[in-house]
Amino acid sequence: MFVIDCPYCGEREQSEFKAGGEAHIVRPKQPTELSDDQWAEYLFMRKNIKGIQFERWVHIHGCRKWFNVVRDTSNDVIKAVYKMGEKPPTN
Amino acid sequence: MTKNLRVKTSKFIDETYKISFKFNGTTYYGYKGDTLASALLANDIHLVGRSFKYHRPRGIMTAGSEEPNAIVQLHSNSARTEPNVRATELEIYEGLEASSQNCWPSVNFDIGGINNFLSPLLPAGFYYKTFMWPASFWEKYEYFIRKSAGLGKSPTKPDPDIYEHKYIHCDVLVVGAGISGILAAKTAAKNGFKTLLVDEKSYLGGSTIYQNSEKYRINNQNSSSWLEKEINEIKKLKNLEIKTRTSVAAFHGYNFLLARESLTDHIPLNQRKNKTRQRLLKIRAKKVLMATGSLERPLIFDNNDRPGILLSSAIEKYANLFGVACGEKNVIFTNNDSGYETASSLFQKGIDVQAIIDNRENIDSKLIKEAEKNNIKIYKGYTVVNTFGYKRINKISVMQLSKDGQKVVGSKISIACDCLGISGGWTPAVHLFTQSGGKLKFRDEDQVFIPDKYPSDQISIGSCNGEFTLDEILSSLPNKLKEFLNITKTDYENLEVQSSYNKSKRNIWLLPSDKIFGKTKSFIDYQNDATARDIKLALREGFRSIEHVKRYTTTGMGTDQGKLGNMHALGIISETANTKMGEIGTTTFRPPYTPLTFGTIVGRNVGEYFDIFRKTPIHEWHVKNKAEFENVGQWKRAWFYPKDGEKMHDAVQRESKAARDSAGILDASTLGKIDIQGTDASEFLNRVYTNAWSKLAIGKCRYGLMLNEDGMVYDDGVTTRLDENHYIMTTTTGGAATVLGKLEDYLQTEWPELDVYLTSVTDHYATVSVCGPNSKKIVSQVIPDLDFSDDNFPHMSFKNAKIGKIKCRIMRISFTGEQSYEINVQANYGKSVWEKCMEIGKEFNITPYGTETMHLLRAEKGFIIVGQDTDATMTPIDLQMDWIVSKKKYDFIGKRSLYRSDTIKEDRKQLVGLLTENPDEVLEEGAQIVADIRKSPIEMLGHVTSSYYSPNLKKSIALGVVRGGKNMMGQKLIIPMENKQINVTVADPVFLDKENKRLNA
Ligand SMILES: [Zn+2]
């Protein structure tokens, strides 16, 4: 049970949020142009890193906004939180 | 006649307040302040249970939560009965009834005791090796094991007590109110931190508070009096909340801790009514100070488990805190200075100490002098090699240790005693620290694991950090607190501390014996009866990882989680396998630190509060009209309305026929409703549904199918265009929340450029659906101002109207295949509109129907139910719904997946109709479908998803998914059942009115 600093509401219990998997996987603009393999890459392939991972979260029982979280999956330490559309922090 | 072993009055015991209690059926007396263990010891009762595997007599071993033996059942055969209660923690109260757990028929005569003599046949892994084969016998074994092991009985009646949960947010949490915790809490609170101090015991001050000895002095005062003043001061601090009888069960990440606060477990039974029994505290602390103390280690030697053998520190505590002598002829067996402290305390109380057996050769001369003065004989460099006495220790034999401590030498000496105190040094209580993700390091000099890396804003102070002497604790504490709390000063700079014991220790994990190793019973885990021999056997059999050894020998797997013996298990593994202690690591300490009751875990969420349930605005009417309900998600939906004692089948047949013959009425309020507005609303629908939406005229309705990006059907429902940029979408009842979530996800993350706003309005409207050939006659009287002619109000369209002053939206849409009108009104008008429809419909025999009839009617029409006829593996093509997939649209969610190599396979499972050879035979939903029964193994082609007896078609109908079913029309298949096989024919899934004539009839 960690605490997430929602960029819109501030610090809240993890139970107010829902995880949405790996971040920065952009839906292809022209899916029909893609081969089966390329589409499968978008659809199924996720990194599941032990360590620093970029993730999507939504404040589902709060403001219902989606945003990005940089989390160390080995100890749940959240390194950064930033809004959708913003660039991930570089360090 | 039992003895009275009370010694000098203790100020912690109120001897003017006598309490009677029952133990194993006999009435005894104790005083307010006693635990069950101290009261029993005062009555000279040591034998309290039998061990788990060998049923050896076991006695009280400790004075705290680490107790492995004195585990009792409270209030047998009542709703309040509770197993696994530690007698060493339980405060006695008027009305207490406790009984021994691990014995049958009684603690003094125990049939399972025969296992003790069979013990060569019960080595480590015995249960795995014997009882796991054949697997089908397990049920019988389990019965036998449970009965003879007597693991305690759970209550069979509902728990009469009240429990609750409470959230606490604080700046600083201090866990443990020993001297370190008290000083830390006072410092934090005085510096403006909102502080919470918790301790599992009923009193504050830890072991220092009863250490009534001149040997410990702080600023020239007795340490216990000095601490008492500090305690009196912290009780006045406004910033500090103190909770005793509060045991921290779990320490999770981000300083989130769970604790159990016991509120009534210590008060007389007849005063507990309407009071909260236990409270689960959910604590979120900015900073955590762990001051959890340390646990004394036992020593591992032959027959180290007899009643009358206690931890040396427990004997001291019983004497000093409870004023109870554990024996009249005591012997202390130690490998460090702690044993001398106990001896000295006992002497002061006038309790006889015969001898001190010390593993060490070199002992502080001051200690020797004092012992000699008190007439206590010291055996230097000796070890206990055996103990005697079945239900109570009566003799020990001791021998001298060899130089390397691996053997015993010389001759055996016998010493008579009725109590043996053992001290193997101290183990920091790091359980909670490791739960939080903290990493330990091994300190070689005194063989202890201490905190090394902290995963959150926390520190460990005092003996849980490996600081075992008073001067060590108090000299390091001020600087630690200043750094941790970021303050400049504490009240405890330059305290003058005197403590006369030091850290010298001779650590031998497994003490040698004159017997050959295989003949000794040296217990490491008392609760699970694991011996040193079991550990060595596991290693011989090839187990190496501590986690595997633990599971194989069951060491550390009891309700005490091996708080006493885990270190010795590690030590023996390290010695036998020749690896370093620090490298083996420790087993994982899991929450809870001490067991929690189920009541505490669930709190108030019991009975009707277990989960919320949602009722429609028309719910009261359904209840009044005797509907049976079914749960759909959190909704209670009317399932069917039995009349005159009808069974479900008959009610559903009647309702289904009435709906097709004349008129039926359904409460459809639970369907999810999402209001969609914005200039890009049409484009948005184009992207989320498989069919096209741009050309839908205002005032028209359209059915839509929603896919996941993998092409699988996710949800369906009718969406209506209310205005140019305004739609109302309906979703399945169960899917409402997730559909909204998914749509918001796409809007916010993939298409933020779209001008679309979504609002969940499910609860805002009540929906009354009237269907059947007479439905139009009914609704046109309910809403007389509206022109219901087919020209003005055709199928799949919508009208705004008014019933009196009530605004309503009417959709002419159908899930039954009948002409059908859905009236949507503001929720609070729902019931009156329903009642009006019932009243006007009376002359047409309008019949309320529930979800079961709704399912039957739609199955006759071959309409799917997402989640029943589909799972997450069905594409629209699999459902034979190709017509709804737009070929023209460039893209929609899931489109690309519809022509992946896997989704275009011809032999995927496809939805078909199934007709039984015998029209009266109704298939079972979920039944498997096969083609050839003779082939082995039989190839499963699919399964039945929906099945009913249709009163309108007068035959059994079913839907099912069948591999390649689309091309099997007319083919015969088989449904194998337990004692028969049913022949079916693959059919069109639309059984009734394929031409849709009834929609406009
Ligand atoms: Zn938020």
Side-chain angles (χ1 to χ4, degrees), chain A residues 4-10 12 16-17 58-67:
Chain A
I4 299 176
D5 189 7
C6 171
Y8 303 92
C9 308
R12 295 291 190 279
E16 291 186 14
F17 299 84
V58 59
H59 195 181
I60 191 91
H61 301 296
C63 64
R64 295 188 71 89
K65 286 283 194 185
W66 283 89
F67 55 91

Side-chain angles (χ1 to χ4, degrees), chain B residues 731-743:
Chain B
T731 73
T732 57
T733 297
T738 50
V739 168
L740 178 70
K742 182 181 152 103
L743 299 183

Side-chain angles (χ1 to χ4, degrees), chain B residues 619-636:
Chain B
H619 186 83
E620 294 311 314
W621 191 94
H622 306 317
V623 172
K624 218 171 120 192
N625 287 273
K626 310 225 158 41
E628 293 286 336
F629 289 87
E630 83 167 322
N631 297 327
V632 183
Q634 288 172 325
W635 288 101
K636 294 276 170 202

